[in-house]
Each structure stands twice: as structure tokens, then as C-alpha cells.
Amino acid sequence: MKIDLKEILRREMQKKTILLNPGVLTESYLPEYLLFREDEVAQITRHLGRYLSGIQPGNLLIHGPPGTGKTHAIKIVSKSYNEFVNETGINSKIIYINCKDKTYYQTLVTLLHGLGVNFPERGLGAAEAVESLIDYLKESNGRYIFVFDEIDKLKKTYRDKEEPMNALIYRMSRLDELLDKESPLIVMISNKSNIIEKIEHATMAKFTPKTIYFREYNIEELYQILLDRIKSALAPGSFTTEPVKYLAELIKKNERDLRWGFRVLIEAALMAHDKLTTDLIEEAARIVDNDMLSQVIHSLSNHQLIVLWAVSFLENVGILPVTGELYQVYKLVCEELGWKPRSMRHVMHYVTPKIESLGLITSREKGQGRGRGKTLVFHLEENPKKILNMVEEVLSERAHKEFKPHEIPEFIQISFQRRR
């Protein structure tokens, strides 16, 4: 049967929808103000104002869970700051860089380009990039503020001898040692609540930032923020407070954030004929959850998929996913699929951090007893059975054969031994 694609486009264009301004519900939308973040925004602004006045107030670390307004806060402050210095003729500028999936070198290059320095994206190294930054700052009489967002999501490559996050913080906080004048103010932003623990002692000793924590919103605050956005996004009279309150409760109950809530709202509004309802919110939440998780899983490399499957399998059968057990299961899956396994060091240093940065797993160090060193313990953030099914489907597609772990003797034995 031939499908009339133009007719589908025509119907979608003519479809009546209550969603009049979808841009208000997107992640890129920058509101003029942030509800329930007035204190944090004022703290950031005062800190930068002191630097602008000639005082060195120290570097800044902004941290807190995802979806709590950190990025929007710094962007709102940056907009006002840059407008203010332009209006007053002060030679100063805030340069914002999102570090997610950038290497240490790419981050430095982006910073140089933000300063207007013509530096090649390829061909040179981090040392040359730092040298070029120093040369520029020595010649400039401007006061700069460098903002590095999502620093914990810097990408590590096989060439990196240092952890990218520590390398970046270390170099930036020591710029004053290489300049004969005051160095730029450094602002680091992270979703990790334990980010300070992940910064090496030698780096932290020099960085010594003032910290501003963005707490999670409570249900009432989530409701008020959602309602504020909905008033601009949906048609008048197309919603009541009940489904909005229900969505706020879902966000809290399912440990999601506002970004997830806005996606649910868009999906529900597109399905609605004339009114937003709690049933539509519930259906939209299921669709968004499946879509988001599926997209993330499909974006993983083969070895990342296998590691994710291994963590899910171990949790599902009641075995603590520590380094040794995880690697054993990983190797078994590689063997079954006919793929060459990577070394344990590679898996723990390069593969698992990427999965962790996507929020699928978390890890923590655990001592193994006196003189036996430490191991990593992994934890899956999603339902193990759900992840197992999704990953098995993707692995089957990529291996061009059905991956049936429930029929593999080694996995049956592991499961059976645990049940006994």
C-alpha cells in the first residue's frame, strides 16, 4: 500500500492543538527569571560583582541535582553581566562553555575561540592551547570570567594521562602562577553532589572555591514552575490545575526533573483535543520514558552496552556488581557475541564512566579489608529487567543474531548458584 507522505504532512499541519508556544517548554528556552532561585541567582551575581569591582572573591563551584536551574541561573546572570559591562564601558566578559562530551583539548579550544583567539581545532595539543591562552591573557587588560558547565561530563581519550576534569580545574586555577597579574575568575558547574570528592587534593588545594548548592524543588515549587510555563505555552482555557499538580507529583515520585516534566507536557498537549487531563499526562509520561531511555541505549557503543547489561544482570540475580564480577560477566558476553573484550583497566577507566555520565549507573569505592585495596561497586538507576530486555534487543541487532542469555550455560549457572 502506497503511503501519501504529503497528505500526512498536510494533516499534521492542519491538526488542531492546544500547544501554541512549544519553545517555552524546551531546554533551550531561557526565562527572564527563575522561580524559587532568587537567592542563588543573587549570590552568583554578588560574587561576580565583587570580582568586577577589583576584589578577588575566589573561584565558584555551583553544584546540585540535574534540572534544578544551575545552567539557567548562570546564563541569566551572564546575560545581565555582559550587558552591564557593555553599557558601562568596562573591559570584561563572561565566556560560557558546556563541557559535555568535549575532551580537555576541545574545551580549551572552545575557550580560546570565545576569547577571539584563532587557534586550530586539530593538530596541536593541550600544552599549546594553554600557552596560547597565557599569551592572550598577558597582553589583554580585560577581566574575564570563565564558566565551565557539566565539568564532570568531560570526555576522556586514550591519549589523556590525567583525568580531564582534574586537568582542567588544575590548569585554570593556576593561571595566576603563569601571569604577572590577577587571573580570570573560574566558575565550575556540576550535577554531581559529591563533585568535591572527585577533585584531587592537590587540585582542590589551589582551586578552593566558594560553593553554591542548588537543592531539589519540592512538589509545590514544581507545580508553580510548571504552571508558570504552561500559561505561556498552552491555549487559554485548555488546562486546569489538576493535571499540572499530578505532573508535579509524578516528577517527585519517579525522581525525575523539570526537563522531563516539560517533555511530558509537550507530548500530552500534542495528544489533547481541547483539554489537558491527568490521563494524558500519565500516557505521555510512559511514552517519554521509553523514548528517552531507548535513545540513550541506542547511543551506546557495543562495549558500553555489554557493561550495562552485565550490571543489570548481576543486580537482577542479586549479586553485588563489583569490579571483578562485572568484568567476568562482561567477558562472557563478549565471548558469546564473538567480540574481542577490552582490558579490565579500559572497561573501568573509559567504558563505565561514559555510562555513568549518562545517568544509567552510579559507582562508589568500597574497601575489601585490610591490605586488600579497594573495588568499585556499581548500581543501576533503572529497573534491571527493563534494561536487560532493551539491551538484549539492541545487541541482537548489532550482532546479527539473537542474543539469548537465558540459554547460555554460564549465565544459567550464575543465576542458579545465587538462588540456592
Side-chain angles (χ1 to χ4, degrees):
M1 180 179 173
K2 188 178 178 181
I3 300 173
D4 190 339
L5 300 182
K6 291 181 181 178
E7 181 58 29
I8 293 173
L9 292 171
R10 188 176 292 109
R11 283 200 303 267
E12 288 301 315
M13 285 182 64
Q14 295 173 350
K15 187 185 290 183
K16 183 184 176 184
T17 175
I18 65 172
L19 186 60
L20 300 184
N21 190 8
V24 175
L25 300 176
T26 60
E27 196 172 337
S28 60
Y29 175 73
L30 187 64
E32 291 183 11
Y33 57 90
L34 283 180
L35 289 173
F36 312 109
R37 287 292 180 255
E38 294 86 354
D39 288 347
E40 290 85 351
V41 168
Q43 282 185 64
I44 296 169
T45 307
R46 281 195 298 270
H47 195 86
L48 303 191
R50 287 167 189 158
Y51 175 72
L52 193 58
S53 72
I55 299 169
Q56 179 53 271
N59 298 314
L60 201 58
L61 174 62
I62 300 170
H63 66 112
T68 51
K70 300 181 299 299
T71 297
H72 277 156
I74 198 67
K75 285 187 174 181
I76 288 171
V77 173
S78 297
K79 184 174 181 290
S80 293
Y81 183 96
N82 287 332
E83 287 174 357
F84 177 78
V85 296
N86 286 335
E87 290 165 3
T88 54
I90 300 171
N91 188 1
S92 185
K93 185 181 181 182
I94 292 181
I95 297 172
Y96 170 87
I97 301 163
N98 190 304
C99 301
K100 184 178 181 182
D101 291 331
K102 285 186 176 70
T103 63
Y104 172 43
Y105 177 73
Q106 288 168 340
T107 302
L108 291 173
V109 172
T110 305
L111 173 60
L112 287 167
H113 290 175
L115 289 167
V117 178
N118 185 18
F119 192 85
E121 294 184 8
R122 291 185 179 87
L124 296 176
E128 288 87 355
V130 172
E131 187 179 337
S132 184
L133 176 62
I134 295 298
D135 290 343
Y136 177 86
L137 293 174
K138 280 182 177 179
E139 293 177 8
S140 173
N141 61 356
R143 296 179 68 78
Y144 297 102
I145 298 171
F146 300 157
V147 177
F148 299 98
D149 200 354
E150 299 197 85
I151 53 164
D152 48 284
K153 293 185 179 177
L154 276 163
K155 183 168 64 177
K156 186 171 184 179
T157 70
Y158 69 93
R159 293 178 180 175
D160 292 327
K161 295 178 181 178
E162 305 172 272
E163 282 296 324
M165 182 182 73
N166 273 291
L168 178 65
I169 298 174
Y170 185 87
R171 298 296 182 282
M172 292 301 106
S173 60
R174 279 172 165 74
L175 286 176
D176 62 338
E177 297 174 1
L178 302 170
L179 298 168
D180 295 327
K181 57 183 178 179
E182 193 175 49
S183 65
L185 178 69
I186 310 302
V187 180
M188 300 284 180
I189 306 175
S190 171
N191 289 332
K192 301 287 186 182
S193 58
N194 64 339
I195 185 66
I196 292 176
E197 298 171 17
K198 293 183 177 290
I199 301 173
E200 292 175 2
H201 178 72
T203 301
M204 198 65 188
K206 179 66 176 178
F207 183 41
T208 55
K210 172 183 170 59
T211 61
I212 298 178
Y213 180 70
F214 278 61
R215 60 171 177 79
E216 289 186 346
Y217 296 108
N218 60 40
I219 291 178
E220 178 60 25
E221 289 169 340
L222 289 169
Y223 163 68
Q224 293 292 345
I225 295 167
L226 291 168
L227 190 61
D228 181 65
R229 294 286 186 96
I230 283 173
K231 287 175 181 176
S232 301
L234 304 190
S238 65
F239 61 91
T240 61
T241 58
E242 185 183 358
V244 186
K245 286 180 178 177
Y246 179 67
L247 178 55
E249 291 167 0
L250 273 185
I251 292 172
K252 206 68 179 172
K253 177 184 175 183
N254 296 336
E255 298 182 337
R256 304 302 185 189
D257 58 36
L258 277 168
R259 294 173 297 186
W260 179 85
F262 293 145
R263 289 190 64 170
V264 171
L265 275 175
I266 291 174
E267 191 68 38
L270 289 172
M271 292 190 291
H273 294 295
D274 54 2
K275 287 277 187 183
L276 191 69
T277 65
T278 53
D279 286 344
L280 284 173
I281 292 292
E282 193 166 348
E283 185 179 349
R286 284 196 296 270
I287 292 169
V288 169
D289 269 347
N290 286 332
D291 284 351
M292 289 175 71
L293 191 55
S294 178
Q295 286 174 21
V296 171
I297 287 175
H298 276 85
S299 73
L300 296 176
S301 69
N302 292 340
H303 291 278
Q304 289 162 357
L305 280 170
I306 296 172
V307 169
L308 180 60
W309 188 91
V311 176
S312 306
F313 170 75
L314 289 169
E315 285 213 347
N316 192 51
V317 299
I319 298 173
L320 193 65
V322 296
T323 301
E325 280 73 7
L326 174 62
Y327 188 68
Q328 178 193 3
V329 172
Y330 161 80
K331 284 180 67 177
L332 285 172
V333 176
C334 286
E335 189 177 305
E336 174 64 23
L337 294 172
W339 295 339
K340 184 180 179 181
R342 302 291 174 87
S343 67
M344 182 185 286
R345 182 181 181 278
H346 184 92
V347 168
M348 296 306 155
H349 286 203
Y350 299 99
V351 180
T352 57
K354 173 63 177 177
I355 308 171
E356 192 169 358
S357 73
L358 293 169
L360 292 170
I361 62 173
T362 57
S363 67
R364 61 181 174 84
E365 281 191 346
K366 180 187 177 185
Q368 301 186 88
R370 183 175 294 179
R372 296 176 61 194
K374 295 180 179 179
T375 187
L376 283 175
V377 180
F378 296 91
H379 171 65
L380 186 70
E381 292 295 300
E382 299 285 344
N383 180 282
K385 288 183 179 178
K386 183 177 182 179
I387 295 294
L388 285 172
N389 291 333
M390 295 180 79
V391 174
E392 285 166 17
E393 187 177 325
V394 179
L395 284 174
S396 296
E397 289 173 6
R398 295 191 185 178
H400 305 294
K401 66 176 183 179
E402 193 166 4
F403 177 48
K404 296 181 178 179
H406 56 278
E407 296 178 3
I408 300 171
E410 289 89 348
F411 293 130
I412 295 172
Q413 186 66 18
I414 292 171
S415 302
F416 177 74
Q417 285 176 345
R418 186 60 189 177
R419 283 198 298 270
R420 275 200 321 183

